[in-house]
Amino acid sequence: MQTFVKNLASMVGQEVEVKGWLYNKRSSGPIAFLELRDGSGWVQAVAAKSELDPVVWEEIEKSTQESSVVVTGKVAKHPKKATVFELQVINFKLLQLAHEYPIAHKEHGPDFLMENRHLWLRSKRQWAILRVRDAVITAIGEYLHKENFIKVDSPVFTPNACEGTTTLFPVPYFDLGTAYLSQSGQLYIEAAIASVGRCYDFGPVFRAEKSKTKRHLTEFWMMDAEAAFVEHEDNLKIQEGLVRYIIRYCLTNCQEELKILERNTEPLEKADKPFTRYTYDEAIKKLNELGSDIKYGEDLGNDDEGLLTKDSQVPVFIEKWPKSIKPFYMKRDSVNSDLVLNDDLIAIEGAGEIIGGSQREEDYELLLSRIKAEELNEEDYQWYLDLRKYGSVPHSGFGIGLERMVRWITGVEHIRECIPFPRTIGRLRP
Amino acid sequence: MQTFVKNLASMVGQEVEVKGWLYNKRSSGPIAFLELRDGSGWVQAVAAKSELDPVVWEEIEKSTQESSVVVTGKVAKHPKKATVFELQVINFKLLQLAHEYPIAHKEHGPDFLMENRHLWLRSKRQWAILRVRDAVITAIGEYLHKENFIKVDSPVFTPNACEGTTTLFPVPYFDLGTAYLSQSGQLYIEAAIASVGRCYDFGPVFRAEKSKTKRHLTEFWMMDAEAAFVEHEDNLKIQEGLVRYIIRYCLTNCQEELKILERNTEPLEKADKPFTRYTYDEAIKKLNELGSDIKYGEDLGNDDEGLLTKDSQVPVFIEKWPKSIKPFYMKRDSVNSDLVLNDDLIAIEGAGEIIGGSQREEDYELLLSRIKAEELNEEDYQWYLDLRKYGSVPHSGFGIGLERMVRWITGVEHIRECIPFPRTIGRLRP
């Protein structure tokens, strides 16, 4: 019966069968050190020629990197490291002898690795990122359900372009003309809150952006949350609660993964405290003091985000932006109607924006005037306007880009490592 | 402070504030019965004219269906029903007076309802379906994580057509030609198991099928699970375990929802027992006995699925189909190489197929010969073949169509009600 590596700690002295792959092999004369991976974890198996059938020893000797194997062994504590366990090999079965593996344990160029993404995923580092990604997804679902949100999936095929068509992917759609691949499900879950109160979607969204930066993918995962009767202040509380929950969840459940990634976890531990808040106005002033030449009314660039957070131990909210640079659906600030009740949440350590959120305009006339002012097609938004005609309520929401969150938690540089099969302007394979 | 309706049972005698929508109103002279919805549940509020400020009573009188309201009241047990609670209204605030609501409490045609899907979602029945759908999603994630699977998202943009191009949606993709919207992430998560051992994806998939049946959508949610070192027998066990977990989870957590849907839960309770298994061969014989004219070598139609399960209290596995009618990647049965080690799981009550699964061919040469025999483009599958060159292992997986599962659990007839914003050949809005 198969035993998972992650369960070995509780089985010291027992004989177990581990099924997996040979990640690495070092031989020292009649002793072989086999590094095994079974998906749940990594373990060293120690094989002594003198204690094994010659046929078994021969199998070990001929096994290559990434060969699939079944190893029977006795679980032992590592002689020197208290929390490490190893296998003393009793039997070894080679399932399939791997051909010469293209990804050796050395540096490869990114193009080569991306071309071999289906194999690259097996590396220790990619394994760790995949598992942190799963933990972030799980943490988001857990927290939101605790906060009375349910999952309501928004559609990918949408009839119109919410925020201009330049970065949309068009798809011919039967006799109905053109469908566009969704860039955000927000408008749809705004409809659903009048049914279920609080909900979120979580799925792939698409941007035909011709950007080649380290932060851009054409297909990425987005979580949009929306809540009825939640106003700006509480919207920020939910966002902060969620981000701190994600941090705690990953620190608790991904210790091994973060160690493999050589992630210094201290900044994450320290980030689990009340977040800093600046108004947009304060942020611009502070940036100017710090030497940025950003002007009031401009969006923050990556450099600005980095500058603003460089001395902060916690993520920073920037709230109440000029309405001129934000989408039509954001609610105006009652104190200063040139501003909207929105927020961007900037992570620390140069990881940039991880959340964008806002209270939404719930007044029919004001919303309509914004749609007209931005020269959007009123017809396209008729159903969205309906939500303000039939029982409109104060409501707010926010969106998290999954890969950006994973990038921050893992500390990896390039977003393409934060999604299993990245799609960029120049990559559609494998 | 807002109290959620679902928490009222524990607050009898207390004064609470409920924020939500007026679903229905009945007046009996100086008494008004207000049916309220807040997303978490439904509650009746009883307002007595004699006990309220005349201005408040006037607000109640003018409130229309779907108006948004804030009701302050004292929680009381229903005079006759033990498990039902109601509010004795102390104060009532009308937030927004709804315009005349297009969906009255009467029968509407499906086209009208679909056109107003953004509002139709508020009906009691649609609310219940949305919540069961969320419960099914949660149950799937919980069960799979317990069974050591993690979520590994597969891409939507794929470079080639896995099973023929006739039902694929093409998308122009920069300088790389055409991308196709994925119909299944299976091949991708097969790559990922060599990293994480067991994984699943869960996202939207796309079929440009010109079908107008009650079971077809152009965009629907699919969960694909894949596990290394799991063979046919264990594959069936995981599938059965998952389906029975979903049933139990929904019976426990969706009592109110299933009641609203008038779902007879007895068949679901009875289905949580070991599933029946037929080989394809046995299934055909049994169908012929039951009067079907299906011939050996043909796929089962809806009628056949219904016929085969009509006397069964549990879902029925049909395993080991002729390889001629199944995809190239399925592993052949070692006893009879004309068959493959696959299964379809047919739900009871006429709900049809809910799972398709198989052990996958792990031998490089056999897989290559199947790719050639089916005249698929070998080049396109090079990366998939790689998985058999570098540490190939026995492995199996299966896929669940979320909407079909929700359709069975809820007992609703049409699949378009099982997804928040359905997309069909004739529908792209709202």
Side-chain angles (χ1 to χ4, degrees):
Chain A
M1 214 192 82
Q2 182 180 12
T3 297
F4 289 110
V5 167
K6 68 170 180 179
N7 299 327
L8 291 181
S10 62
M11 304 180 82
V12 174
Q14 294 180 48
E15 189 177 316
V16 299
E17 188 179 71
V18 169
K19 298 180 173 183
W21 293 265
L22 184 60
Y23 188 64
N24 210 351
K25 185 173 71 173
R26 284 181 303 117
S27 289
S28 174
I31 305 284
F33 300 93
L34 314 171
E35 192 177 6
L36 304 175
R37 173 191 75 238
D38 79 341
S40 81
W42 307 74
V43 67
Q44 177 168 273
V46 184
K49 185 176 178 180
S50 60
E51 289 170 21
L52 294 171
D53 189 293
V55 179
V56 170
W57 180 255
E58 214 169 278
E59 292 253 289
I60 291 173
E61 284 211 304
K62 80 172 182 194
S63 291
T64 51
Q65 186 191 351
E66 286 303 321
S67 289
S68 47
V69 300
V70 180
V71 179
T72 310
K74 200 167 151 184
V75 184
K77 284 193 176 177
H78 189 281
K80 287 170 191 162
K81 297 172 194 162
T83 59
V84 177
F85 301 86
E86 56 180 36
L87 281 184
Q88 292 158 348
V89 177
I90 295 166
N91 202 353
F92 179 98
K93 196 175 146 199
L94 177 60
L95 282 185
Q96 192 250 340
L97 182 69
H99 298 216
E100 195 180 345
Y101 193 62
I103 306 177
H105 292 292
K106 60 168 191 178
E107 287 288 315
H108 290 281
D111 279 349
F112 177 82
L113 290 171
M114 292 292 281
E115 199 60 45
N116 288 285
R117 183 64 175 170
H118 56 296
L119 302 175
W120 185 27
L121 287 176
R122 304 178 182 192
S123 82
K124 232 175 199 173
R125 185 179 158 82
Q126 300 305 316
W127 173 85
I129 298 169
L130 286 178
R131 289 180 58 95
V132 171
R133 183 181 162 104
D134 174 66
V136 172
I137 295 169
T138 303
I140 289 173
E142 274 191 18
Y143 178 83
L144 290 177
H145 276 90
K146 278 181 199 171
E147 293 292 324
N148 299 296
F149 291 76
I150 70 165
K151 189 161 187 273
V152 173
D153 299 305
S154 56
V156 169
F157 286 139
T158 53
N160 55 281
C162 285
E163 298 170 30
T165 55
T166 56
T167 61
L168 283 167
F169 285 103
V171 185
Y173 197 86
F174 306 109
D175 300 335
L176 298 179
T178 302
Y180 298 93
L181 302 183
S182 180
Q183 298 197 331
S184 160
Q186 178 201 317
L187 306 195
Y188 289 96
I189 59 170
E190 278 190 63
I193 57 168
S195 173
V196 300
R198 296 177 169 203
C199 58
Y200 69 103
D201 64 18
F202 203 168
V205 293
F206 305 87
R207 298 226 172 142
E209 217 160 353
K210 293 191 173 169
S211 293
K212 290 189 184 179
T213 80
K214 288 180 180 167
R215 304 205 301 179
H216 287 93
L217 297 164
T218 54
E219 173 183 343
F220 55 98
W221 278 62
M222 187 86 180
M223 191 287 296
D224 298 291
E226 196 74 26
F229 301 104
V230 165
E231 304 193 39
H232 179 64
E233 284 297 318
D234 283 334
N235 193 27
L236 266 59
K237 277 187 200 149
I238 293 170
Q239 292 169 48
E240 178 174 324
L242 173 55
V243 173
R244 292 174 64 179
Y245 190 87
I246 293 170
I247 293 172
R248 284 197 296 277
Y249 191 93
C250 291
L251 286 173
T252 306
N253 294 290
C254 302
Q255 287 179 26
E256 188 185 355
E257 291 82 356
L258 295 172
K259 206 172 163 189
I260 287 171
L261 294 165
E262 297 174 337
R263 175 67 162 113
N264 175 8
T265 54
E266 208 183 303
L268 292 177
E269 283 151 24
K270 287 188 176 162
D272 183 15
K273 279 185 303 211
F275 292 176
T276 299
R277 282 168 65 163
Y278 296 127
T279 60
Y280 172 83
D281 192 49
E282 288 165 349
I284 297 297
K285 282 187 187 130
K286 193 167 163 73
L287 282 168
N288 289 153
E289 280 164 29
L290 292 168
S292 167
D293 57 2
I294 189 170
K295 290 183 189 63
Y296 189 95
E298 291 178 352
D299 201 356
L300 271 66
N302 293 348
D303 292 348
D304 295 315
E305 290 174 354
L307 200 58
L308 197 65
T309 52
K310 76 175 168 46
D311 297 322
S312 181
Q313 294 197 332
V314 293
V316 173
F317 280 116
I318 308 173
E319 59 173 347
K320 301 184 181 174
W321 292 52
K323 77 167 195 283
S324 56
I325 53 170
K326 287 292 173 184
F328 72 95
Y329 49 72
M330 292 185 179
K331 185 180 171 74
R332 295 187 208 181
D333 183 10
S334 59
V335 179
N336 178 349
S337 67
D338 286 334
L339 306 179
V340 286
L341 295 173
N342 79 314
D343 67 277
D344 280 8
L345 180 63
I346 318 295
I348 51 172
E349 305 174 271
E353 185 193 329
I354 46 173
I355 291 188
S358 72
Q359 185 166 346
R360 322 304 190 184
E361 182 53 68
E362 84 252 31
D363 182 83
Y364 181 89
E365 294 300 338
L366 282 174
L367 187 64
L368 182 60
S369 71
R370 290 297 301 269
I371 286 172
K372 284 179 173 166
E374 305 217 1
E375 296 179 356
L376 297 166
N377 184 358
E378 197 183 318
E379 174 75 21
D380 288 343
Y381 293 93
Q382 212 51 62
W383 69 268
Y384 184 65
L385 283 160
D386 271 359
L387 308 178
R388 278 71 181 171
K389 271 162 83 175
Y390 307 108
S392 193
V393 299
H395 64 290
S396 305
F398 59 94
I400 292 185
L402 174 60
E403 288 76 19
R404 290 193 178 185
M405 182 65 78
V406 172
R407 181 169 174 258
W408 174 40
I409 300 288
T410 56
V412 309
E413 194 192 344
H414 205 301
I415 200 134
R416 70 179 164 224
E417 294 187 42
C418 299
I419 186 165
F421 293 94
R423 299 298 185 238
T424 60
I425 178 170
R427 173 147 307 277
L428 188 53
R429 291 174 186 271
Chain B
M1 214 191 82
Q2 183 180 11
T3 297
F4 289 112
V5 167
K6 68 170 180 180
N7 299 327
L8 291 182
S10 61
M11 304 181 82
V12 173
Q14 294 180 48
E15 188 178 316
V16 299
E17 189 180 70
V18 168
K19 298 179 174 186
W21 294 265
L22 183 61
Y23 189 64
N24 211 351
K25 185 174 71 174
R26 286 183 299 118
S27 290
S28 174
I31 306 281
F33 300 94
L34 314 171
E35 194 177 4
L36 304 175
R37 173 189 77 239
D38 80 341
S40 80
W42 308 73
V43 67
Q44 177 169 275
V46 184
K49 185 177 179 180
S50 60
E51 290 169 22
L52 295 170
D53 188 294
V55 180
V56 170
W57 180 254
E58 216 169 278
E59 292 253 289
I60 291 173
E61 284 210 303
K62 80 173 183 194
S63 290
T64 50
Q65 187 191 347
E66 287 303 323
S67 290
S68 45
V69 299
V70 179
V71 179
T72 309
K74 201 168 154 185
V75 183
K77 285 194 176 177
H78 189 282
K80 289 172 191 164
K81 299 172 194 164
T83 59
V84 176
F85 301 87
E86 57 180 34
L87 280 183
Q88 291 158 347
V89 177
I90 295 166
N91 202 351
F92 180 97
K93 198 176 145 195
L94 176 59
L95 283 184
Q96 193 249 340
L97 182 69
H99 297 215
E100 195 180 346
Y101 194 61
I103 307 177
H105 293 292
K106 60 168 192 180
E107 286 288 314
H108 291 280
D111 279 348
F112 178 81
L113 291 171
M114 293 291 282
E115 198 60 46
N116 288 286
R117 183 64 174 169
H118 56 296
L119 301 175
W120 185 28
L121 287 176
R122 305 179 183 191
S123 82
K124 229 173 200 175
R125 187 179 156 83
Q126 300 305 317
W127 173 86
I129 298 169
L130 286 178
R131 289 180 58 97
V132 172
R133 181 179 164 106
D134 174 67
V136 171
I137 295 169
T138 303
I140 289 173
E142 274 191 18
Y143 178 83
L144 289 176
H145 277 89
K146 277 181 201 170
E147 293 292 324
N148 299 296
F149 290 76
I150 69 165
K151 187 161 188 273
V152 174
D153 299 304
S154 56
V156 169
F157 286 139
T158 54
N160 55 282
C162 284
E163 297 168 32
T165 55
T166 55
T167 60
L168 283 167
F169 285 103
V171 185
Y173 197 86
F174 307 107
D175 300 335
L176 298 179
T178 302
Y180 298 94
L181 301 184
S182 179
Q183 298 196 332
S184 159
Q186 179 201 317
L187 306 196
Y188 289 95
I189 60 170
E190 278 190 63
I193 58 167
S195 172
V196 300
R198 296 178 169 202
C199 58
Y200 70 102
D201 65 17
F202 203 168
V205 294
F206 306 87
R207 298 224 173 144
E209 218 160 352
K210 293 192 173 168
S211 295
K212 289 189 184 180
T213 79
K214 288 180 181 166
R215 302 204 301 178
H216 286 93
L217 296 163
T218 55
E219 172 183 343
F220 56 98
W221 278 63
M222 186 86 180
M223 191 287 295
D224 298 291
E226 197 73 28
F229 302 104
V230 164
E231 304 194 39
H232 178 65
E233 285 296 320
D234 283 334
N235 193 26
L236 266 58
K237 277 186 199 151
I238 293 171
Q239 292 169 48
E240 179 174 322
L242 174 54
V243 173
R244 292 174 63 179
Y245 190 87
I246 293 169
I247 294 172
R248 283 198 297 278
Y249 190 93
C250 291
L251 286 173
T252 306
N253 294 289
C254 302
Q255 287 179 25
E256 187 184 355
E257 291 83 357
L258 295 171
K259 206 171 163 189
I260 287 171
L261 293 164
E262 296 172 340
R263 176 67 164 113
N264 176 7
T265 54
E266 208 183 303
L268 292 177
E269 282 150 25
K270 287 187 176 164
D272 183 17
K273 277 185 303 208
F275 293 175
T276 299
R277 281 168 65 162
Y278 296 127
T279 61
Y280 173 83
D281 192 48
E282 289 165 348
I284 297 296
K285 281 185 188 131
K286 193 165 163 73
L287 281 169
N288 290 153
E289 280 165 28
L290 291 169
S292 166
D293 56 2
I294 189 170
K295 292 184 187 63
Y296 189 95
E298 291 177 352
D299 200 356
L300 272 65
N302 293 348
D303 291 349
D304 295 315
E305 290 174 354
L307 201 58
L308 197 64
T309 51
K310 76 175 168 49
D311 296 323
S312 182
Q313 293 198 331
V314 294
V316 173
F317 280 115
I318 307 173
E319 58 173 348
K320 300 183 182 175
W321 291 52
K323 75 166 195 284
S324 56
I325 53 170
K326 286 292 173 185
F328 72 95
Y329 50 72
M330 292 185 178
K331 185 179 170 75
R332 295 187 207 181
D333 184 10
S334 59
V335 179
N336 178 350
S337 67
D338 286 334
L339 305 180
V340 286
L341 295 173
N342 80 314
D343 67 277
D344 281 6
L345 181 63
I346 317 295
I348 51 172
E349 305 175 270
E353 185 193 330
I354 46 171
I355 291 188
S358 73
Q359 186 167 347
R360 321 304 189 183
E361 183 54 70
E362 83 252 31
D363 183 83
Y364 181 90
E365 294 301 337
L366 283 174
L367 187 64
L368 182 59
S369 73
R370 289 297 301 270
I371 286 171
K372 284 178 174 164
E374 304 216 2
E375 296 179 356
L376 297 165
N377 184 358
E378 198 183 318
E379 174 74 22
D380 287 344
Y381 294 92
Q382 214 49 63
W383 71 267
Y384 185 65
L385 284 159
D386 271 0
L387 309 178
R388 278 68 181 173
K389 271 161 85 174
Y390 307 109
S392 193
V393 300
H395 64 289
S396 304
F398 59 95
I400 292 186
L402 174 60
E403 289 76 18
R404 289 192 180 186
M405 182 64 77
V406 172
R407 182 169 173 259
W408 175 41
I409 300 288
T410 56
V412 310
E413 193 192 344
H414 204 300
I415 199 131
R416 70 178 164 224
E417 293 187 41
C418 299
I419 185 165
F421 293 92
R423 299 297 185 239
T424 61
I425 179 171
R427 171 149 308 279
L428 188 55
R429 293 173 185 269

